[in-house]
Amino acid sequence: MDIVVKGRKTEVPERFRKHVAEKLKLDKIQKLDAKVISLDVEVSKEHNPRQADRSDRVEITLRSRGPVIRAEAAAADPYAALDLATGKLEARLRKQHDKRHNRRGNGRLSAAAVADSVPGVAELSATNGRPLAEEATESIPTTKIGSIEVRGEGPLVVREKMHTAAPMTLDQALYEMELVGHDFYLFVDSETKQPSVVYRRHAYDYGVIHLETDPLAGSEAGGAGGALGG
């Protein structure tokens, strides 16, 4: 297995690629997960001077025969960001390794047990996206990105990802949400067969939204979908 290092809107120096190979020791990772298929490292840079202390972001994605494990971190330079992301990845790998070897019953965590069993559960997402202010005057330039119109100079980053996944229970969705280190997780509920989202509300509190089609609704939606809140 090779480590794939790529940059998103930035160049990745050869020195940093070598440092990644030294930092992410494959033998150590494979001891924790022997079914690793690929390990991707993506480096990106924020050019906003107001975010200089978090200008470099490193995202590590580990794919295996089990759930995808992702860890990301931002710092003032890519080397520090890599150190932070590697620490998160190793912690999640150790938890998954311990879970496999000490499982009880069907080995899946209950919603109440996730907070005690998965590291970083109380941490907020590192994403720092700022909402764009709405401008009323027509003199402000408008940029169209796909179906989204942006007034002014942004910044706005639009990323699209497509995933395939088998239906799962709510408990498993909560567990996998913590493995990828996000505040929400989209999945298909194995009981209802509905597209659903689990999300973190406050501290250790979670919510779930199920989506079903309204047979009385017209062909076009009249407004935005439900917000993650409440």
Side-chain angles (χ1 to χ4, degrees):
M1 180 191 68
D2 294 326
I3 301 175
V4 177
V5 183
K6 56 185 178 181
R8 177 160 57 87
K9 297 183 179 180
T10 187
E11 294 292 330
V12 181
E14 186 61 30
R15 177 188 172 192
F16 183 78
R17 294 178 185 273
K18 292 180 179 179
H19 183 71
V20 169
E22 295 172 356
K23 187 70 179 178
L24 294 174
K25 300 184 184 303
L26 294 181
D27 56 344
K28 183 177 181 180
I29 291 175
Q30 288 174 328
K31 284 182 180 178
L32 295 172
D33 189 344
K35 299 179 181 180
V36 177
I37 297 174
S38 66
L39 189 62
D40 298 330
V41 178
E42 183 178 271
V43 184
S44 59
K45 189 171 185 66
E46 172 59 59
H47 297 284
N48 188 340
R50 290 176 295 183
Q51 298 184 18
D53 59 335
R54 302 174 59 82
S55 61
D56 291 275
R57 179 175 297 276
V58 172
E59 179 179 302
I60 306 173
T61 303
L62 184 149
R63 293 180 174 84
S64 68
R65 297 178 190 175
V68 174
I69 300 178
R70 183 174 291 111
E72 59 182 317
D77 65 80
Y79 294 91
L82 177 65
D83 289 345
L84 292 172
T86 301
K88 291 181 180 180
L89 179 72
E90 291 178 353
R92 289 168 185 161
L93 275 172
R94 282 194 295 270
K95 282 295 180 181
Q96 187 193 40
H97 179 269
D98 293 343
K99 176 179 178 289
R100 283 198 304 266
H101 289 79
N102 300 293
R103 63 176 57 197
R104 298 175 182 176
N106 62 6
R108 293 185 175 179
L109 297 176
S110 66
V114 170
D116 297 327
S117 302
V118 180
V121 68
E123 295 178 2
L124 297 177
S125 171
T127 304
N128 272 341
R130 300 181 61 191
L132 295 173
E134 295 183 358
E135 301 290 347
T137 60
E138 296 182 356
S139 60
I140 297 176
T142 300
T143 304
K144 188 159 186 174
I145 305 176
S147 61
I148 301 176
E149 287 190 356
V150 183
R151 290 191 171 190
E153 297 182 352
L156 176 67
V157 178
V158 178
R159 298 179 66 187
E160 294 184 0
K161 292 184 178 181
M162 180 68 70
H163 297 281
T164 57
M168 64 181 66
T169 64
L170 173 60
D171 284 348
Q172 185 66 15
L174 284 169
Y175 174 66
E176 298 206 18
M177 178 182 73
E178 299 301 341
L179 282 181
V180 297
H182 288 175
D183 287 332
F184 68 93
Y185 192 83
L186 176 64
F187 70 105
V188 176
D189 193 300
S190 59
E191 294 182 4
T192 65
K193 309 304 180 186
Q194 295 173 328
S196 305
V197 172
V198 291
Y199 62 98
R200 186 180 298 112
R201 295 179 69 246
H202 304 289
Y204 298 107
D205 195 9
Y206 296 92
V208 59
I209 293 176
H210 299 290
L211 183 66
E212 62 180 4
T213 302
D214 184 354
L216 300 179
S219 58
E220 293 186 1
L228 295 182

